Amino acid sequence: MARDTATTATVGTGVPARRRRIRPGEVIIEAFLRLNGFIAIAAIALIFVFLFKEGVQAFQTIAPGRFIQGNELDFDNVPQVVRMWQPVGTNPKYSIIPLVLGSFLVALPATLLATLFGVACGIYLAEIAGRRTRELVKPAIELVAGVPSVVIGFFCLATLATLVQQTLGNVYRLNAFVGALGVAFVIVPVIATMTDDALRAVPDELRQGAHALGANRWETIARVVVPAGASGIIASVLLGMGRALGETMIVLMATGNAAQVTLNPFDSVRTMTATIAAELGAVPQGGEQYRALFLVGSILFTFTFFINLAAELAVARMRRRLAL
Amino acid sequence: MRRAVIEHLALGLLRGMTMMILLATVLLLGSIAVGGARVITWEFLAGEPTEGMTRGGIFPAIFGTICITLLMIVMALPLGVCAAIYMTEYSGNTRTARLIRASVNNLAGVPSIVFGLFGVGFFILFIGRSIDAVRGGGLLFGQPAMLWAAATLAVLVLPVIIVSTAEALTAVPRSHREASFALGATRWQTVSRVVLPQAKAGILTGSILSISRGAGETAPILFTGCAYFLPRLPVVHLPVPLTGLSIPMINPLDQFMELSYHIFIMATQSTDAAVTRPIQYGTTLVLVGLTVLLNLSAIWLRARYRRRPVTR
């Protein structure tokens, strides 16, 4: 990095130095701006490095297999295979299976729900709403995106959980479903605004062509506009899912935080994010559990990284197709 | 006939679902407004928590939120704006520019709790402990503090600032730059006197949005400096030599109370969550009010400069 900056300082933006009057001020300013650009790159690189550096060290004391399942003696002293996250105690257990299951048990229903409503809202904004309605609804949706997640978590905990229990009669007041409702609320604006953007990028000629062939508004939307913007909509759903997996405060407050292997969305669950948030403050730094938590963070980072990458590829694909 | 009915139903369904989102928003904000409005008094806003956190006000949390967002924006804004200027005005579409763009996109997708891990691992344990080792004499920098919490939030809002600044800069027509170059202006003269003045509103919008984002985030500051209760404000009094007076200043090495953390901790870990429910509602209303106000001003600002014709 230092070498690059030095090269820039002598030759500027690649224009041969002899043809140009050297202005020291300009050169210094450009070098300074370039340095800031590199710091931005360094930030992401450092996050990656420090997360994985601590995470990988967990394997020094914990055998990799123990992150899948551990052994525990039952009452007759017979070893039993258990899949539990229970890092405190004489026989700490580090199975990440309940955490990963918990994360997806919240993220998948949330994404499903948010996709239904978000895509509907995006289509409404781009294709149906008049200009004045649009100028009212769009800022309102953006405002939802600005509500801090701790506020939504508090709403789930204080109001929504009771409401859900009274309506559905579930056993546990705080469960994956309540968390999913809260998380869906956070990602609806993401999906809605991105769907809106994607559909508005679809050229008007396609709509006019469909209308000329006798299609009505709904047929134009369903068979022409939405298929043309499909990549963009898929990207928005993927980004929303990445956000859902990474959401911390809502799930920490609303899902009940019981690490168990379950597929029932009305059970209390504990996600990867909530585990880190709940435990990191109380563990000694550099210890076994501390590193295990960084490993959980690394796994979470990897999940979201690939989901975001897929979303970016979908956006690139859409740009290519619409440029034709 | 059947086609017309289907069209009518489908369009109605889409409209209805959008209304349901808005209704849910009204329900959420409404329940918080109703629950919080009863609590908010001058004593609540300006007082300190009393009687084991079950009564009293939230002033230290408001103060802490303002301090940390100020500190955050001081760290993130110059860095983000400079990086965006380099990306759009200097590097063109080179490999460096694409690398910055890819990193920024990536940074935007990192879960906020991962920033918390990063803050502990990098800022506190690596940078802080290194400073302590060089400085000698006890733990000072290598522990949770406002400085590190603000730095963590600064990394979190960096992509917001870079993306919005880059957008504002690319919205300035190319012809303005060419005209400036034709008059013999250097690149920096063009950027500072032609491009930046036009992009000012966009950059301001981005910074308001990032302040709102930073003020609302909880996960990154859980372990980097927040405190459940502090008997004093994170302020130091710097003595002015000879006069005998002292200037109060934010102490970035102190821990602090913060609104969003206060909501979380009061709602989940306080000794009696039911008794303190009114305080929780009040704190939530203050935080929502703050972020909604910031977001509205950003939306208004953006609408204003978008309406302006591009070429004048």
Side-chain angles (χ1 to χ4, degrees), chain A residues 8 13 20 23 26 29-30 32-41 43-44 46-48 50-51 53-54 116-125 128 133 135 137 139-152 154-159 163 173 185 188 192 214-219 221 239 242-243 245-249 252-253 273 276-281 285-286 290 293-294 296-298 300-301 304-305 308-309 312, chain B residues 3-4 6-8 10-22 24-29 31-32 78-83 85-86 90-91 96 99-100 102-118 120-122 124-126 129 142 144 155 158 162 184 186-189 191 212-213 215-219 222-223 259-261 263-265 267-268 277 280-281 284 287-288 291-292 295-296 299 302 307:
Chain A
T8 323
T13 41
R20 204 186 189 194
R23 298 170 192 271
E26 289 282 320
I29 286 170
E30 177 165 351
F32 174 74
L33 293 174
R34 175 181 273 246
L35 178 71
N36 280 287
F38 277 113
I39 293 177
I41 302 177
I44 177 83
L46 281 176
I47 289 185
F48 189 76
F50 270 84
L51 194 63
K53 190 196 84 177
E54 294 282 343
L116 277 177
F117 281 89
V119 171
C121 178
I123 295 175
Y124 175 78
L125 283 175
I128 303 171
T133 327
E135 277 181 9
V137 176
I141 299 287
E142 282 170 355
L143 211 59
V144 176
V147 175
S149 64
V150 71
V151 169
I152 295 166
F154 174 67
F155 176 74
C156 291
L157 178 77
T159 312
L163 219 63
R173 201 178 87 91
F185 194 75
V188 158
N216 61 31
R217 280 172 86 191
W218 168 244
E219 286 159 351
I221 291 170
L239 269 189
R243 284 282 300 275
L245 276 176
E247 180 50 60
T248 309
M249 296 321 289
L252 183 61
M253 294 170 89
T273 52
I276 300 169
E279 292 178 10
L280 191 73
Q285 281 150 0
Y290 175 83
L293 288 175
F294 270 81
V296 173
S298 313
L300 177 70
F301 183 89
T304 52
F305 180 85
N308 290 331
L309 193 69
E312 234 167 87
Chain B
R3 284 173 57 209
I6 292 177
E7 180 189 24
H8 196 72
L11 297 191
L13 184 69
L14 293 178
R15 186 175 291 126
M17 285 169 89
T18 306
M19 291 309 136
M20 276 168 78
I21 300 174
L22 297 179
T25 313
V26 171
L27 189 73
L28 171 93
L29 297 181
S31 87
I32 287 163
L79 182 65
V81 170
C82 288
I85 292 175
Y86 181 74
Y90 283 82
S91 68
T96 328
L99 195 62
I100 298 177
S103 312
V104 166
N105 283 345
N106 250 308
L107 207 56
V110 174
S112 57
I113 189 72
V114 169
F115 284 99
L117 285 173
F118 175 66
V120 174
F122 180 68
I124 298 179
L125 295 185
F126 184 71
R129 293 278 158 91
V155 180
L158 200 55
I162 294 182
T186 63
R187 194 170 283 269
W188 175 244
Q189 283 165 345
V191 168
S212 147
R213 176 92 196 274
E217 278 291 349
T218 323
L222 281 175
F223 334 107
L259 283 171
S260 66
Y261 184 73
I263 297 169
F264 163 66
I265 210 83
T268 58
R277 224 356 90 82
Q280 296 162 26
Y281 268 110
T284 310
L287 181 64
V288 169
T291 50
V292 164
N295 276 291
L296 278 180
I299 289 169
R302 190 168 44 197
R307 216 170 289 140

Side-chain angles (χ1 to χ4, degrees), chain A residues 32-289:
Chain A
F32 174 74
L33 293 174
R34 175 181 273 246
L35 178 71
N36 280 287
F38 277 113
I39 293 177
I41 302 177
I44 177 83
L46 281 176
I47 289 185
F48 189 76
V49 167
F50 270 84
L51 194 63
F52 282 79
K53 190 196 84 177
E54 294 282 343
V56 165
Q57 284 179 357
F59 290 120
Q60 286 176 357
T61 51
I62 312 169
R66 284 176 63 200
F67 287 106
I68 306 298
Q69 57 197 22
N71 284 307
E72 191 177 41
L73 300 177
D74 66 3
F75 294 115
D76 304 320
N77 277 336
V78 183
Q80 296 284 320
V81 172
V82 286
R83 296 193 179 90
M84 282 156 83
W85 175 270
Q86 209 177 72
V88 186
T90 49
N91 175 20
K93 291 177 265 311
Y94 291 108
S95 170
I96 56 163
I97 288 182
L99 309 185
V100 174
L101 271 181
S103 277
F104 279 95
L105 209 55
V106 174
L108 286 181
T111 313
L112 204 69
L113 201 68
T115 303
L116 277 177
F117 281 89
V119 171
C121 178
I123 295 175
Y124 175 78
L125 283 175
E127 303 292 322
I128 303 171
R131 210 176 64 87
R132 299 216 9 221
T133 327
R134 187 188 145 78
E135 277 181 9
L136 279 176
V137 176
K138 184 119 200 223
I141 299 287
E142 282 170 355
L143 211 59
V144 176
V147 175
S149 64
V150 71
V151 169
I152 295 166
F154 174 67
F155 176 74
C156 291
L157 178 77
T159 312
L160 191 66
T162 314
L163 219 63
V164 168
Q165 197 173 30
Q166 280 166 358
T167 326
L168 302 176
N170 38 303
V171 185
Y172 303 101
R173 201 178 87 91
L174 298 178
N175 54 50
F177 181 69
V178 175
L181 287 179
V183 173
F185 194 75
V186 177
I187 58 177
V188 158
V190 177
I191 295 179
T193 45
M194 273 191 74
T195 300
D196 176 44
D197 289 345
L199 296 184
R200 282 162 69 83
V202 174
D204 251 348
E205 286 83 357
L206 291 182
R207 290 183 194 90
Q208 288 156 1
H211 286 311
L213 289 170
N216 61 31
R217 280 172 86 191
W218 168 244
E219 286 159 351
T220 309
I221 291 170
R223 303 201 196 147
V224 177
V225 181
V226 169
S231 298
I233 297 177
I234 290 171
S236 77
V237 172
L238 284 170
L239 269 189
M241 181 154 169
R243 284 282 300 275
L245 276 176
E247 180 50 60
T248 309
M249 296 321 289
I250 296 173
V251 292
L252 183 61
M253 294 170 89
T255 58
N257 285 326
Q260 51 182 330
V261 178
T262 175
L263 288 174
N264 179 359
F266 290 98
D267 273 342
S268 286
V269 297
R270 181 180 229 191
T271 65
M272 294 186 271
T273 52
T275 306
I276 300 169
E279 292 178 10
L280 191 73
V283 299
Q285 281 150 0
E288 190 175 88
Q289 188 190 352

Side-chain angles (χ1 to χ4, degrees), chain B:
Chain B
M1 185 59 210
R2 222 179 111 241
R3 284 173 57 209
V5 172
I6 292 177
E7 180 189 24
H8 196 72
L9 286 178
L11 297 191
L13 184 69
L14 293 178
R15 186 175 291 126
M17 285 169 89
T18 306
M19 291 309 136
M20 276 168 78
I21 300 174
L22 297 179
L23 196 74
T25 313
V26 171
L27 189 73
L28 171 93
L29 297 181
S31 87
I32 287 163
V34 169
R38 270 173 283 173
V39 196
I40 294 202
T41 55
W42 177 245
E43 287 75 40
F44 183 73
L45 295 175
E48 288 187 6
T50 50
E51 294 177 39
M53 308 285 286
T54 56
R55 280 172 183 282
I58 54 165
F59 179 70
I62 297 176
F63 183 78
T65 305
I66 293 171
C67 290
I68 192 178
T69 37
L70 276 180
L71 215 56
M72 168 199 86
I73 205 73
V74 165
M75 292 185 207
L77 191 62
L79 182 65
V81 170
C82 288
I85 292 175
Y86 181 74
M87 192 168 96
T88 53
E89 303 296 323
Y90 283 82
S91 68
N93 196 26
T94 57
R95 234 173 61 198
T96 328
R98 284 200 300 272
L99 195 62
I100 298 177
R101 209 161 291 144
S103 312
V104 166
N105 283 345
N106 250 308
L107 207 56
V110 174
S112 57
I113 189 72
V114 169
F115 284 99
L117 285 173
F118 175 66
V120 174
F122 180 68
F123 287 123
I124 298 179
L125 295 185
F126 184 71
I127 301 218
R129 293 278 158 91
S130 303
I131 295 176
D132 280 345
V134 172
R135 201 179 51 92
L139 214 56
L140 180 64
F141 286 92
Q143 54 190 353
M146 188 190 284
L147 177 66
W148 305 132
T152 310
L153 284 182
V155 180
L156 181 112
V157 299
L158 200 55
V160 183
I161 294 175
I162 294 182
V163 168
S164 58
T165 306
E167 254 172 34
L169 292 174
T170 39
V172 176
R174 208 186 146 80
S175 54
H176 291 203
R177 293 185 186 84
E178 282 160 1
S180 167
F181 287 137
L183 290 171
T186 63
R187 194 170 283 269
W188 175 244
Q189 283 165 345
T190 307
V191 168
S192 61
R193 298 189 204 163
V194 178
V195 181
L196 278 180
Q198 294 189 60
K200 221 164 46 189
I203 297 172
L204 192 61
T205 312
S207 17
I208 294 175
L209 281 180
S210 64
I211 289 177
S212 147
R213 176 92 196 274
E217 278 291 349
T218 323
I221 55 175
L222 281 175
F223 334 107
T224 45
C226 263
Y228 176 46
F229 175 69
L230 282 177
R232 63 200 146 65
L233 293 176
V235 169
V236 291
H237 292 271
L238 289 182
V240 180
L242 303 176
T243 55
L245 300 169
S246 63
I247 315 168
M249 218 189 85
I250 303 170
N251 181 6
L253 292 177
D254 217 338
Q255 296 205 348
F256 58 99
M257 290 173 71
E258 208 258 1
L259 283 171
S260 66
Y261 184 73
H262 199 62
I263 297 169
F264 163 66
I265 210 83
M266 294 291 272
T268 58
Q269 336 240 302
S270 92
T271 40
D272 193 344
V275 172
T276 57
R277 224 356 90 82
I279 297 183
Q280 296 162 26
Y281 268 110
T283 317
T284 310
L285 183 58
V286 171
L287 181 64
V288 169
L290 190 74
T291 50
V292 164
L293 220 63
L294 285 168
N295 276 291
L296 278 180
S297 57
I299 289 169
W300 174 77
L301 200 67
R302 190 168 44 197
R304 221 180 76 135
Y305 83 85
R306 271 207 186 139
R307 216 170 289 140
R308 214 178 54 192
V310 179
T311 44
R312 275 180 301 173

